[in-house]
Amino acid sequence: MRTPVIAGNWKMHNTVDESLKLVRELKPLVAGVGGVEIVVAPVFTALDAVSAEINDSNIALSSQNVFWEEKGAYTGEIAPGMLKDVGCTYAIIGHSERRQYFNETDETVNKRVKAALKAGLTPIMCVGETLEEREGGKTIEVVSRQVKGGLAGLGSAEIDKMIIAYEPVWAIGTGKTATPEQAEEVHADIRRLVGQIAGAGTAAGIRILYGGSVKPDNVDVLMSQSDIDGALVGGAALQADSFARIVKFETK
Ligand code: 13P
């Protein structure tokens, strides 16, 4: 049984006060909801305050990125241990916006994943194709390259601790969700690939989240797919009521 994960990636939104307001609204709406890991990923500056606010709740904390060194002369970067220090238990790694705007590559994703695992953070490693790649029939090729690159050098005991998020770039922030069938097809391929890399047990256990315009009105059908184990939510995570509804998805 794979415990589903619903994670809200707040991206570059919300001051400390706004973050606290959102999480204070969210807490009572999801209190008592079990059988699902609920995660929020605020901006770095709000992590500490949000961490204190969710301390005794069923909501966990994630960063939106992490650097691979433990400390040193790396101006502007944040180490895995520093994220643990403020209460993070997850780290989003390799989001397509980082690949697109900040030169993130499969190699740097791999370094971040390894460093996060070493520090005891659960990596949420993001993969996904662009519209051009999908239209060129390259979806599986691109996603396979990203998965293999991101997992390079890791053993099954480490991959067991990870989460993969499939986020087709063309579905992010566009209102265009992949159809459940389109998403399921890629999720099943990712699971097969994880099986080739790390064995059947790891493939059966790893959580693969879908991201890209997940909303209250499409989460149920997405979550009803056999290889979709959760959602990485952007825009709809910025409103407590819509995120809470996504957390309370119903499968058919
Ligand atoms: P949207 O839900 O706004 O499409 O964003 C998805 C995403 O990128 C989550 O990481």
Side-chain angles (χ1 to χ4, degrees), residues 23-31 53-54 56-59:
V23 87
R24 279 178 190 141
E25 285 171 11
L26 181 63
K27 264 199 312 187
L29 296 177
V30 299
E53 188 63 38
I54 61 178
D56 53 359
S57 77
N58 56 346
I59 305 171

Side-chain angles (χ1 to χ4, degrees), residues 72-108:
Y74 303 102
T75 302
E77 294 301 323
I78 299 189
M82 295 165 182
L83 296 171
K84 286 281 285 184
D85 187 39
V86 292
C88 287
T89 47
Y90 300 79
I92 297 172
I93 295 175
H95 191 279
S96 65
E97 286 149 17
R98 298 218 56 86
R99 294 178 189 259
Q100 188 178 351
Y101 305 127
F102 303 100
N103 303 321
E104 193 80 70
T105 63
D106 295 334
E107 204 176 1
T108 57

Side-chain angles (χ1 to χ4, degrees), residues 9 11 92 95-97 126 167 171-175 211-215 232-236:
N9 174 10
K11 307 194 179 182
I92 297 172
H95 191 279
S96 65
E97 286 149 17
C126 305
E167 298 202 304
I172 295 178
T174 58
S213 298
V214 176
K215 305 277 184 258
L232 185 54
V233 187

